Amino acid sequence: MSRPARLVLFLVAAAGVAALLVVAFLDLPPFGSPFHPYRDRAVAAAVAHATANVVGSVTFDQRGLDTLVEETILLGSVAGAAALLRPSKEERENTTVPEGGRVLEATKLTGYLLLPVTLLVGIDVVVHGHLTPGGGFQGGVLLGTAVHLLYLTGHYRALDRVRPLPVFDSGEALGAAAFAALGIAGIIAAGAFLGNILPFGTFGELLSAGTVPVFNIAVGVEVASGVIVLLAKFLEQALRVQREAVS
Amino acid sequence: MTLYVYLVAGWLLLVGSLGIVRSRDLVHTVVCLSVAQSGTYVLLIAVGYQRGATAPVFGSTTPPSENVVDPVVQAMTLTDIVVSATVTALLLALVIQIAKRHGTLDPDHLSSLKG
């Protein structure tokens, strides 16, 4: 189909979708209204389980099954991307990587200073996921990106040393397995898949909210490993893999 | 004007789709898909908003109350963002493969099947 024809077809369809959306939006509850029945029930359920971060409670306690599926999507797509990014037959992987061009001293300094800070913030966000905004997904991404500050400082080799990929390959699988194992432990101890098996503790304390912090840590390990594996595969494609001269 | 924020969500979806239709580069297509998907974040967060309410996170200074924005849609947005990020990664990996096999990223030049 030619480009103009495609555009016309899209505009006709988009006008239809836009009209349907406006009709649907007109029937929504008015923006900012105090009518939130799910909110009322979710807050009550979170407080009953001594979880200060209601979003964390919804994610890991009330809608745990959704999060398990979401985590499986993450695992599957990381595995899929890693499989797609393997060097193909006509390519070879260099064992040595040429050090990149010159990096500004200020960039290096910032990278080195921020590396420990970012790692600490990442761990903090994962561990306090049930008390403050954050959790395993957010903290995991922070942890995964933290080690890549080394790459920004111009040291791909250093990055290669601090992240042994097999460890993170298994870290990802272990995180996902821990989530499922906690779910099965819930069947045995609490009588429901992903049911809570730990004491709830005192509201607002570090050791509270039952299994939510444990889920946060499992997800944090999986997401951090997943981000590291993914970025490693993309970096390998850009830096290492070379197409052999086709004869 | 309570409809405005919902219209922003709809506009993001449509403008992202327009970008996909008009795309001349597959990396651009993937980014447009992310734009279209971000319309759902705006819609979900807008549905859960309440005027004058605080974040659904309690502590010593903010005792539990019902006067918070909806945490359920926020958790859904989190799921949405995670799925969007993983799909983007997978699509970009596919784009790299297409670039290697076909030597072009323009979708208009990718019409022929090639083994």
Side-chain angles (χ1 to χ4, degrees):
Chain A
M1 191 186 289
S2 70
R3 289 184 71 85
R6 200 192 306 164
L7 190 62
V8 168
L9 185 65
F10 170 78
L11 288 177
V12 172
V17 173
L20 285 176
L21 281 176
V22 170
V23 171
F25 291 156
L26 284 171
D27 255 7
L28 277 178
F31 176 65
S33 79
F35 177 69
H36 291 293
Y38 290 120
R39 185 267 318 267
D40 300 342
R41 284 163 179 76
V43 168
V47 172
H49 282 194
T51 313
N53 179 357
V54 186
V55 181
S57 170
V58 172
T59 310
F60 294 110
D61 201 5
Q62 302 170 28
R63 285 175 61 239
L65 191 62
D66 288 12
T67 310
L68 176 66
V69 176
E70 170 189 0
E71 228 203 4
T72 318
I73 293 176
L74 179 74
L75 181 71
S77 90
V78 170
L84 280 170
L85 291 173
R86 275 175 317 183
S88 62
K89 262 183 255 163
E90 317 89 76
E91 292 171 337
R92 65 191 159 85
E93 209 172 331
N94 287 350
T95 42
T96 54
V97 176
E99 285 290 323
R102 212 169 59 84
V103 179
L104 283 179
E105 294 293 322
T107 314
K108 280 189 186 174
L109 181 69
T110 318
Y112 285 131
L113 283 179
L114 282 179
L115 174 62
V117 177
T118 318
L119 280 176
L120 262 182
V121 172
I123 293 169
D124 178 83
V125 168
V126 171
V127 173
H128 291 96
H130 56 301
L131 300 174
T132 52
F137 288 105
Q138 299 90 325
V141 173
L142 269 171
L143 288 171
T145 45
V147 291
H148 290 90
L149 286 171
L150 272 178
Y151 175 66
L152 292 186
T153 60
H155 287 84
Y156 182 75
R157 283 182 207 153
L159 172 68
D160 230 11
R161 278 199 297 275
V162 301
R163 56 141 174 70
L165 274 184
V167 173
F168 290 104
D169 279 340
S170 30
E172 218 211 334
L174 277 179
F179 201 109
L182 276 166
I184 293 167
I187 298 187
I188 296 163
F193 188 58
L194 295 165
N196 193 83
I197 51 171
L198 292 175
F200 291 127
T202 321
F203 188 84
E205 299 275 308
L206 182 59
L207 289 178
S208 67
T211 36
V212 173
V214 190
F215 278 125
N216 265 325
I217 291 168
V219 169
V221 168
E222 184 190 344
V223 173
S225 309
V227 169
I228 288 172
V229 171
L230 262 185
L231 285 176
K233 295 292 175 194
F234 278 110
L235 283 175
E236 260 172 27
Q237 281 291 323
L239 298 173
R240 282 200 169 171
V241 173
Q242 279 185 341
R243 184 169 268 256
E244 277 180 350
V246 184
S247 51
Chain B
M1 187 63 189
T2 66
L3 201 60
Y4 180 68
V5 66
Y6 298 134
L7 293 178
V8 170
W11 180 78
L12 276 172
L13 171 73
L14 290 175
V15 86
S17 313
L18 175 67
I20 294 173
V21 170
R22 285 176 53 86
S23 181
R24 285 188 181 277
D25 186 308
L26 286 176
V27 177
H28 172 263
T29 316
V30 175
V31 175
C32 287
L33 183 67
S34 299
V35 172
Q37 195 159 10
S38 56
T40 60
Y41 313 155
V42 176
L43 180 65
L44 282 170
I45 294 294
V47 165
Y49 182 71
Q50 176 184 338
R51 269 179 228 285
T54 56
V57 179
F58 304 120
S60 49
T61 51
T62 48
S65 74
E66 301 273 277
N67 194 24
V68 292
V69 295
D70 196 336
V72 179
V73 288
Q74 294 202 354
M76 285 175 171
T77 312
L78 173 64
T79 310
D80 202 351
I81 292 171
V82 172
V83 172
S84 164
T86 55
V87 166
T88 304
L90 197 58
L91 286 176
L92 286 176
L94 275 171
V95 169
I96 288 180
Q97 283 297 331
I98 290 171
K100 279 189 201 167
R101 300 244 175 270
H102 298 265
T104 175
L105 281 181
D106 189 336
D108 287 341
H109 295 153
L110 290 171
S111 46
S112 60
L113 287 172
K114 198 168 155 186

